[in-house]
Amino acid sequence: MSNDAPTPEQEVVDLCRDLIRIDTTNTGDLDTCAGERAAAEWVAARLAEVGVEPQLRESAPGRTSLVARVEGTDPGRGALLVHGHLDVVPADPSEWSVHPFSGEVRDGFVWGRGAVDMKDFDAMVLAVVRHWRRTGYRPPRDVVLAFTADEEAGGELGAHFLVERHPELLEGCTEAIGEVGGFSYSISDDLRLYLIQTAEKGIDWLRLHARGRPGHGSMVHEDNAVTALAEAVARVGRHRFPVVVTPTVRAFLEEVSAALGVELDPDDPEAAVAKLGHLARIIGATIRNTANPTRLEAGYKDNVIPGRATATIDCRTLPGQSELFLEQLRELIGPDLEIEYVQRQPAIETSFDGPLVDAMAAALRAVDPGARAVPYMLSAGTDAKAFSRLGIRCFGFAPLRLPSDLNFAALFHGVDERVPVEGLEFGVRVLDRFLRDRKSTRLNSSH
């Protein structure tokens, strides 16, 4: 134990840079993924340095996740799961201002793939836990750390693998925090909304298959699979599904409307969303189901009409909307195309209440007096989908105070991904306060 140990603020930037420098690109194809093993071993070493015993589990060669438990002072309280993924989406260096795996610090930001998705939070968690161990601090409840593989491809080789094959590592966890939440949206100089994720849309990744009659490309051909597929894909890509306001989205819009002084019309939430600036892209996708074509595949020679054509559609569905969405999609594409599901994971939603939520809000206000915590729905999916299968109540809370002019939404999977140095330092201060809160959970017997 030492009172001279570096503070989390002093460590977090270097931890984040070091993690970014480890290429953990997840292409979704085992043959081309960089693999998370090196990052998991690096995290394990940082934990072992301070006496935390890590457990590494490999679902496929190189696809490694890590779980560790930091024992709390009260075993009667449910454990809190703190999770972050180690993999990142691909990045083309030719498109970036800096090399995406450099971890360069420039203009007050740490740059690199994973800077906000989500090696920043991984670094925050490590910085806080390392400081605890160096100073002899024990949290009020067990804190289970999970650093996972494969989140960017749906988590089958990461979080879902842990839930299905190694649930004993998560024993006793009743609540969880992870991405994407706790980030700020500036209303004025003295008011910032911090969006806490209490819901996320479902994942319905599917492929459309069109079949036709093969033939010579020089002839008149009425039964062309490429034509049938292209027409269906165009209809899907241009379609806007009906607006559906869920409880989480309604609560968020009411908070924003009050903060902005804009009257909310429940029948026209798009009017409120349109006033959110950079945030409109994230929130606008949570008031309806969405379907975006992402890949096309057909043919094997320039002068041959193929008998089959395939498109991949990235569909995201609101809580309780998956089956209705499928009916709407079937009507949209017509009866002749085959629908093949690649992956289906349901939407999740919880309420914005309880001691854990109170602790989040209190920690934010303690570090930023202008903070107001509000619930929101994430338009994408996270590892929370896996952990919720164990009955764990999941939230997105990776605290960041952001510059008011930063287009945060565009950084996820985008070019020149970066995180503010001051945001990282803010995040560890909030996270430390939050995890130390002794009122942040009820006793197990109350669940």
Side-chain angles (χ1 to χ4, degrees), residues 182-414:
F183 59 92
S184 67
Y185 172 69
S186 296
I187 299 294
S188 63
D189 290 342
D190 57 359
L191 176 59
R192 278 159 295 282
L193 303 184
Y194 285 83
L195 280 64
I196 311 300
Q197 189 216 122
T198 60
E200 60 183 53
K201 294 176 80 174
I203 295 174
D204 292 83
W205 291 341
L206 54 85
R207 292 194 178 101
L208 303 182
H209 300 287
R211 300 180 187 275
R213 180 168 50 85
H216 199 290
S218 67
M219 299 180 184
V220 176
H221 203 92
E222 301 295 341
D223 187 16
N224 190 318
V226 174
T227 302
L229 181 73
E231 290 173 342
V233 167
R235 290 194 298 272
V236 171
R238 295 192 180 103
H239 186 70
R240 293 296 174 265
F241 291 87
V243 170
V244 177
V245 181
T246 63
T248 294
V249 172
R250 181 175 294 276
F252 170 79
L253 291 176
E254 288 173 351
E255 291 277 3
V256 170
S257 295
L260 293 175
V262 177
E263 185 176 351
L264 170 68
D265 180 356
D267 296 323
D268 187 19
E270 290 174 301
V273 170
K275 298 181 181 295
L276 298 181
H278 297 319
L279 202 60
R281 290 189 64 198
I282 293 179
I283 304 303
T286 65
I287 61 174
R288 54 168 45 92
N289 299 316
T290 59
N292 285 306
T294 56
R295 300 179 70 178
L296 294 169
E297 182 179 357
Y300 47 87
K301 197 172 186 298
D302 291 350
N303 63 348
V304 177
I305 296 170
R308 181 184 177 94
T310 298
T312 302
I313 313 292
D314 183 346
C315 306
R316 308 295 174 125
T317 52
L318 297 168
Q321 290 278 307
S322 184
E323 296 306 319
L324 175 60
F325 168 80
L326 181 58
E327 294 176 9
Q328 295 170 336
L329 185 67
R330 169 55 71 191
E331 183 176 350
L332 188 62
I333 66 173
D336 296 331
L337 270 66
E338 173 191 347
I339 296 177
E340 174 198 1
Y341 270 95
V342 177
Q343 190 167 149
R344 296 189 78 179
Q345 295 187 33
I348 58 175
E349 188 167 26
T350 188
S351 55
F352 188 62
D353 56 18
L356 197 73
V357 171
D358 294 342
M360 293 177 197
L364 287 165
R365 286 195 304 271
V367 182
D368 178 6
R372 181 189 299 175
V374 300
Y376 95 108
M377 178 186 294
L378 178 66
S379 60
T382 75
D383 280 339
K385 284 181 167 46
F387 298 126
S388 65
R389 294 167 57 191
L390 296 177
I392 298 172
R393 189 182 183 206
C394 296
F395 296 87
F397 186 66
L400 280 175
R401 179 169 172 175
L402 302 170
S404 59
D405 60 348
L406 182 66
N407 188 349
F408 188 57
L411 298 180
F412 285 83
H413 299 189

Side-chain angles (χ1 to χ4, degrees), residues 83-88 117-119 122 146-152 179 383:
H83 61 94
H85 61 85
L86 296 172
D87 62 322
V88 297
D117 189 13
M118 60 173 298
K119 291 179 176 179
D122 295 336
F147 297 87
T148 60
D150 199 42
E151 191 276 343
E152 296 292 2
E179 60 173 352
D383 280 339

Side-chain angles (χ1 to χ4, degrees), residues 20-43:
I20 288 171
R21 290 170 180 149
I22 303 172
D23 184 351
T24 53
T25 297
N26 185 355
T27 63
D29 180 350
L30 284 174
D31 292 334
T32 57
C33 288
E36 299 86 354
R37 181 89 197 179
E41 290 177 344
W42 182 90
V43 171

